[in-house]
Amino acid sequence: MKKRVFSGIQPTGDLHIGNYLGAIQHWVKIQHEYDCIYCVVDLHAITIPQDPKTLKAKIREVAGLLIASGIDPQIASVFVQSHVHEHSELTWILNCYIPMGWMRRMTQFKEKSQKQREEVSTALFDYPALMAADILLYNTDEVPVGEDQKQHVELARDVAQRFNSIYGETFTVPRAVIAKTGARIMGLDDPTQKMSKSEEQPGRAINLLDSPDDIRNKIMRATTDSLREMRFDESRPGINNLLVIYEQFTRQAREEIEARFEGKGYVDLKRELAEVVVESLSPVQSRYRELTADPQHIDILLAEGAKKVRPTAEKTLALVKERVGLG
Ligand code: ATP
Ligand code: LTN
């Protein structure tokens, strides 16, 4: 039996090379080895205000880009969270077993709520419970995520263990798997900030659907330092970030890359990196255009994805309700 992998991505903006290098390329690689479920988490997206039309379009765009990046919907399951209502239902039940103290420790809520202050929704606070439900519905063994999500996966582990100790073996206890390099791609305009979908700074992120000229412009304008030496060095975040992106796309060894650019200027690195990124994204973009030529096609694939995963979600929820004594 293959191990079960579950991960999710929010349809809250344009997918960028940080998402691709930190998550999606890894998801593509493991799909043959594991039984993988990938979810477009639209219920998580509405924890902050969204425009309805844009949200609906983004759900399809994100799903299309996952498939265009190489996730094969015949092998892995790709579906939309709100298409399987068990996610919401299990969230409520899990809420009853998550002490407030655990939730209050979540650093992402602290960061995100500072930006919104009084407007912040109750659901943003409860975000980790929905994420725990996503993971626990499918007997998940491993959850590939970026560093920022580790604490949330740990909360899912804790609530699974707590529930199991009260009611007996019910949930598989999941663990987070964090990619070693490329796990944190930084903003091009400001390499001290992470490249992000929701931060609408022009020049921060290279989006997967950016035109070749946009990609070139953003890379040529990327912030670096005034030194000349081209070395992987985390104390020089700008140049380090460009080299990491180069490394991730070309799969060359660090020494090889440093040797290649020795004695050259930053402009040479930027020019070459821009071409590497343009060429790497080009097949993803053309597959995306093919996939979306028929607007119904993605909807059909997503309906099939939900149909594949629903029986497992139904079975888990029925067992949980039975254990708790509901109904
Ligand atoms: P937001 O800005 O809305 O928080 P995001 O761009 O951080 O969005 P998520 O939907 O939170 O993206 O994350 C999807 C996946 O991409 C996660 O596994 C996350 O860890 C990864 N990821 C996001 N940003 C980066 C980044 N800059 N570098 C590497 N991986 C990233
Ligand atoms: N919170 C995650 C997205 C997410 C997720 C999940 C990831 C929602 N549910 C379940 C792994 C497993 C994020 O913002 N990257």
Side-chain angles (χ1 to χ4, degrees), residues 17-18 21-22 25 180-186 230-234 236-252 254 257-258 261 269 273 276-277:
I17 59 168
L21 298 174
Q25 69 162 0
K180 280 184 202 68
T181 50
R184 201 170 162 82
I185 302 294
M186 309 310 284
M230 220 99 59
R231 243 185 322 110
F232 285 87
D233 177 354
E234 286 186 13
R236 293 166 58 200
I239 197 69
N240 191 64
N241 192 39
L242 295 182
L243 289 169
V244 167
I245 297 171
Y246 189 93
E247 175 195 28
Q248 287 288 313
F249 277 115
T250 62
R251 302 264 142 221
Q252 287 172 23
R254 293 195 164 190
I257 298 169
E258 285 171 348
F261 292 106
L269 168 67
L273 177 63
V276 163
V277 176

Side-chain angles (χ1 to χ4, degrees), residues 94-139:
L94 292 180
N95 270 329
C96 303
Y97 300 88
I98 301 173
M100 282 289 278
W102 293 4
M103 286 291 205
R104 279 203 205 97
R105 285 201 283 273
M106 298 292 119
T107 52
Q108 190 169 71
F109 175 75
K110 288 182 206 163
E111 282 160 24
K112 288 200 176 176
S113 60
Q114 261 165 14
K115 289 187 198 154
Q116 290 188 53
R117 309 218 161 200
E118 290 301 300
E119 295 300 310
V120 68
S121 70
T122 312
L124 189 69
F125 183 70
D126 203 34
Y127 183 112
L130 177 58
M131 186 160 155
D134 297 342
I135 296 167
L136 299 182
L137 274 176
Y138 301 99
N139 312 316

Side-chain angles (χ1 to χ4, degrees), residues 10 12 16 18-19 22-23 146 148 183-185 194-198:
Q10 297 198 63
T12 43
H16 51 76
N19 300 128
D148 57 323
R184 201 170 162 82
I185 302 294
K194 135 184 144 101
M195 191 176 280
S196 131
K197 294 195 240 98
S198 47

Side-chain angles (χ1 to χ4, degrees), residues 6-10 41 44 81 108 112 127 130-131 134-135 143-145 148-149 152-153:
F6 185 102
S7 200
I9 189 155
Q10 297 198 63
V41 293
H44 277 111
Q81 191 181 32
Q108 190 169 71
K112 288 200 176 176
Y127 183 112
L130 177 58
M131 186 160 155
D134 297 342
I135 296 167
V143 187
V145 280
D148 57 323
Q149 297 299 314
H152 292 162
V153 180

Side-chain angles (χ1 to χ4, degrees), residues 35-39 71-79 305-306 308-309:
D35 182 1
C36 296
I37 303 179
Y38 300 127
C39 182
I71 291 169
D72 181 343
Q74 303 301 323
I75 294 170
S77 303
V78 180
F79 78 106
K308 265 204 291 182
V309 301

Side-chain angles (χ1 to χ4, degrees), residues 170-242:
T170 309
F171 294 121
T172 303
V173 179
R175 70 182 189 96
V177 178
I178 317 282
K180 280 184 202 68
T181 50
R184 201 170 162 82
I185 302 294
M186 309 310 284
L188 292 179
D189 64 330
D190 180 354
T192 63
Q193 301 295 315
K194 135 184 144 101
M195 191 176 280
S196 131
K197 294 195 240 98
S198 47
E199 214 55 60
E200 280 169 24
Q201 299 288 351
R204 164 102 7 128
I206 295 178
N207 299 324
L208 298 186
L209 293 174
D210 273 351
S211 71
D213 279 344
D214 281 346
I215 296 172
R216 290 186 186 108
N217 285 334
K218 286 178 185 175
I219 292 180
M220 295 315 288
R221 288 204 196 110
T223 305
T224 47
D225 50 40
S226 53
L227 301 173
R228 284 194 57 91
E229 210 185 352
M230 220 99 59
R231 243 185 322 110
F232 285 87
D233 177 354
E234 286 186 13
S235 68
R236 293 166 58 200
I239 197 69
N240 191 64
N241 192 39
L242 295 182

Side-chain angles (χ1 to χ4, degrees), residues 31-52:
Q31 65 184 335
H32 297 280
E33 202 182 322
Y34 294 86
D35 182 1
C36 296
I37 303 179
Y38 300 127
C39 182
V40 181
V41 293
D42 55 348
L43 296 170
H44 277 111
I46 61 166
T47 57
I48 53 174
Q50 303 291 340
D51 169 67

